[in-house]
Every structure is written in C-alpha cells, then in structure tokens.
Amino acid sequence: MATRMTSTATTTSAEEMYDALAARLGDVLPDFELRHKAEIAAEINRLKAERGAVILGHNYMEPALFHSVCDFKGDSLELSRLAATVAGDPIVFCGVRFMAETAKILNPGKTVLLPTARGGCSLAESITASDVRRLKKRFPGVPVVTYVNTYADVKAETDICCTSGNAVQVVESLDSDRVIFLPDEFLAKNVARETGKRVIFPTVNGNSSSASDGGELQYEMVGWRGRCEVHEQFTPEDIATVRRQFPDVMVLAHPECPPEVVDASDFAGSTSAMVRAVQESSAERYLLLTECSMADNIVAENPEKEMVRLCSVRCPHMNEITLENVRDALLHDRWPVDVPEPSRTRARASIERMLEIG
Ligand code: 13P
Ligand code: SF4
C-alpha cells in the first residue's frame, strides 16, 4: 500500500464526515459511535487546516481515525520516507514514540506532536545505548544494524537502521561476514534465514554466548533478546486451529513473529506488504498475525475480503492514539517530541543510510 492522502483528510463538516465514515465503516462500527467520531474527526480537520498541520498515521491506527484524518498512511518505512519530505508544520504522528522521534530527527526545525505522553514499544524498551556500546566493544568493527523500533540514542550508536520492509536488503548491502542486528530476536532469526546467516545471542557482560541455531563461530549475525509483546504471542497452534476451521484461509504474519509462526504462514512481510498481499490475493479469507485494527482497516477498503480476527492480541501502545487525543494534540500542542544533540545528528545518519538503500 503506497502512502497516500485520503479523501476524508480535508473534510471539515461533521455531516459529510459521518457520510464518508458510514460508507467505509458502516459494517464495522455502530451508528452512534460513527456519529460521535465523525464530529471529532471534522474538528480535527478544521484545526489541521487552521494550523497548517499534517497528520501521518501508521497502519495500526483504529479504523475511524485511520479513515478520517490521516493525510498519509503506511508502514514504518513509508512513513519514515514521508517524514523526510512532507510539507506541514506541526507534524502530528499517529503511531508510537520511536516513529515520532524518527520524524523529528529528519525535521529538526518542525514541531512533531505525538498524541500521547507515552507511546512505548516493547522492542524499543528492550535495549539501551550503553548495551549497544558494550556489544560494539565486544565485536569491534562489526557493522551494527538497528531496527527502527528503537529510541534515538540507540540509533545514534548504529551504522544503519532497517525496518521490517527492508531488513534483508539492508543486511545484504553490508560488505561484512558478520553483522550485529538489534534488538528483535525474531526479526533477526527471520532475516538470518532469508540471508543464509546464523544468529547468536551473546550475554553482554560475560564471555559466553548461546547459539540459537548454529555451532560456535559459524554465526554471522549477533542478535539481542528483544521481542514485540504482540507478535511473540502468536503460535503455530493458533494457525493450525484456524486452518482446521477455515481450510481456505490465507495466513499472513509480520516478521516480528517467531520463525516457526512465519514458517506455518503463507506470507510474511511488513504491515503494508501484508495489506498489498491481501489486496492482490483471491483467497476466500485471511488471518493477519499482527495488531487487529489492521484487519478492520483492510476490510473498510476491500469489503469483499473476509478476515478471521485474533483480536485478543493488541498493541496497547498504538491504541493510546485516539481521535480525542489527536484533537487535544492540535488544541494544546501535546506532546512535542524532542531529540537532543548529539544523538539527533548521529541517529539521522543511520536513518539516511537506510533511506538511500531503497
Ligand atoms: P511495520 O514497519 O511493518 O509497519 O511495523 C511496525 C511495527 O511496529 C510492527 O509491530
Ligand atoms: Fe512495538 Fe509490537 Fe506495538 Fe509494534 S506492535 S509498536 S513492535 S509493541
């Protein structure tokens, strides 16, 4: 799914917004909720126009927000690319903190607002800059690839960033037998398999290392034990159970899922790659192993597609972003994201190297 401007993103009358949302989400949301959300969305679009703001929305945003106020939508890579060039100030980032930080790193002169005071991520919180410095000391000269799901001070210690959409390309672009790949254990294992590498998980303080799927000194990727609290919950048994009930289901997994889950799936890719795969497939129904809102967002644009939902697994951090919080962000300049120097400049170099790769 290419990032794009939505037709509703400029609608400022509550009645028109209600009509547009009802056409998209009338089968997903009750009418009274649509009316309530349409009023807030129309107010947001008025405020946005008054302030010259632009709203970027990650694919995980809840359906009413996703389909009403976002000027551009996409996965982490698409939104990073957009953040580098987008017009509009302030940038309101509907996502989590590490994403808003990336926008700020690329736009130091603009105000970047994250409509929540928190907006965490279990992966970003799994590693610190001093962890990376210790790893670099232990593996001198080995290039460090860091998933964008990290904070700016960690990116600042990194040679190059990657997202789930380009991790394989980024690793393959490095002229090195060995790569430090942080912090997602499962993404590292999935990328290692695609690139024909092995992964080890060293203990930072001691000398020992536990080989996950390879013998000593045969490894080429040094990993970290960070996990996405959402994607680590899916299991091959979930897939088997759903396949028993719906033999014709197409299963799509995010590469933050465990490798055995990716193996048992029909497709693995970034959030936008999953959206595109569903749009291009003629399967009867789909199971998305990722944040549940995305299934609603796909159905809203492709009403003929049937989704099997595993909505007990949610990202609490992405779900902090509500229409009410976006309105308050524009009304009260909440919550400005700051990335101090020298981290910003060093992190920017790492993000820009990634963006150059394509
Ligand atoms: P994408 O880069 O695939 O959009 O994923 C971001 C994320 O946080 C997945 O949990
Ligand atoms: Fe982080 Fe996982 Fe939430 Fe994505 S889904 S923001 S990786 S906790």
Side-chain angles (χ1 to χ4, degrees):
M1 178 175 57
T3 47
R4 66 209 179 280
M5 192 156 220
T6 59
S7 55
T8 48
T10 51
T11 307
T12 54
S13 122
E15 211 42 52
E16 279 171 20
M17 181 60 84
Y18 167 78
D19 290 343
L21 281 181
R24 273 273 158 87
L25 301 170
D27 292 337
V28 179
L29 294 180
D31 196 58
F32 69 91
E33 191 169 328
L34 276 179
R35 286 201 180 278
H36 173 68
K37 293 198 171 190
E39 274 181 28
I40 304 173
E43 188 184 353
I44 290 171
N45 285 345
R46 268 197 306 278
L47 290 165
K48 187 168 65 174
E50 274 166 33
R51 296 200 55 183
V54 61
I55 300 186
L56 307 187
H58 186 261
N59 289 327
Y60 286 165
M61 290 299 103
E62 64 97 352
L65 189 161
F66 191 76
H67 290 285
S68 60
V69 299
C70 298
D71 298 299
F72 298 97
K73 308 184 278 199
D75 65 12
S76 307
L77 181 58
E78 291 164 340
L79 294 178
S80 302
R81 284 195 186 292
L82 255 164
T85 54
V86 77
D89 188 0
I91 297 173
V92 181
F93 209 112
C94 295
V96 286
R97 179 163 300 277
F98 74 80
M99 295 177 176
E101 273 194 359
T102 302
K104 182 67 182 179
I105 288 165
L106 295 168
N107 292 280
K110 290 189 185 181
T111 300
V112 175
L113 300 174
L114 178 67
T116 170
R118 297 181 302 275
C121 166
S122 63
L123 279 170
E125 269 124 50
S126 73
I127 192 159
T128 65
S130 62
D131 291 331
V132 185
R133 282 193 292 271
R134 281 202 295 269
L135 281 168
K136 289 200 292 192
K137 223 171 169 178
R138 176 135 176 229
F139 299 94
V142 176
V144 184
V145 180
T146 301
Y147 196 28
V148 283
N149 296 40
T150 47
Y151 293 122
D153 56 342
V154 167
K155 289 188 175 82
E157 296 294 338
T158 298
D159 294 297
I160 184 164
C161 287
C162 74
T163 73
S164 61
N166 63 11
V168 168
Q169 275 172 288
V170 166
V171 167
E172 285 181 339
S173 76
L174 297 167
D175 186 19
S176 173
D177 288 343
R178 224 185 252 179
V179 169
I180 300 173
F181 188 99
L182 310 170
D184 186 340
E185 169 183 348
F186 294 143
L187 183 65
K189 287 178 173 173
N190 288 321
V191 169
R193 289 187 323 167
E194 270 198 64
T195 53
K197 295 185 188 297
R198 292 168 186 271
V199 194
I200 60 144
F201 294 94
T203 54
V204 170
N205 296 319
N207 293 322
S208 62
S209 62
S210 60
S212 68
D213 49 8
E216 220 182 323
L217 294 181
Q218 291 174 333
Y219 56 81
E220 291 175 286
M221 280 173 74
V222 177
W224 188 253
R225 297 281 191 193
R227 289 184 179 185
C228 164
E229 69 196 78
V230 176
H231 294 97
E232 72 169 344
Q233 293 188 53
F234 298 115
T235 65
E237 292 70 44
D238 293 335
I239 299 176
T241 305
V242 172
R243 285 201 199 277
R244 268 197 298 279
Q245 192 179 352
F246 304 107
D248 53 3
V249 73
M250 177 179 178
V251 180
L252 301 98
H254 194 277
E256 290 169 8
C257 291
E260 56 275 19
V261 169
V262 169
D263 275 350
S265 302
D266 302 305
F267 178 88
S270 78
T271 54
S272 287
M274 291 163 101
V275 174
R276 278 192 296 273
V278 171
Q279 282 167 342
E280 288 161 14
S281 157
S282 56
E284 284 292 312
R285 28 170 94 71
Y286 305 86
L287 171 67
L288 298 187
L289 298 176
T290 197
E291 155 60 41
C292 187
S293 291
M294 218 172 81
D296 289 333
N297 290 336
I298 293 178
V299 170
E301 285 179 354
N302 307 270
E304 75 289 359
K305 306 277 182 188
E306 201 166 309
M307 296 286 163
V308 183
R309 289 169 173 79
L310 283 182
C311 282
S312 51
V313 183
R314 308 300 303 253
C315 176
H317 316 293
M318 289 282 184
N319 280 289
E320 286 167 20
I321 309 298
T322 61
L323 281 167
E324 286 83 350
N325 288 350
V326 175
R327 176 198 55 204
D328 292 348
L330 283 165
L331 277 174
H332 308 297
D333 267 338
R334 282 187 195 149
W335 304 84
V337 173
D338 187 30
V339 181
E341 294 291 2
S343 284
R344 191 197 70 78
T345 301
R346 294 180 66 206
R348 181 179 186 134
S350 175
I351 295 166
E352 284 181 342
R353 273 184 219 116
M354 168 185 84
L355 295 177
E356 278 161 22
I357 283 191

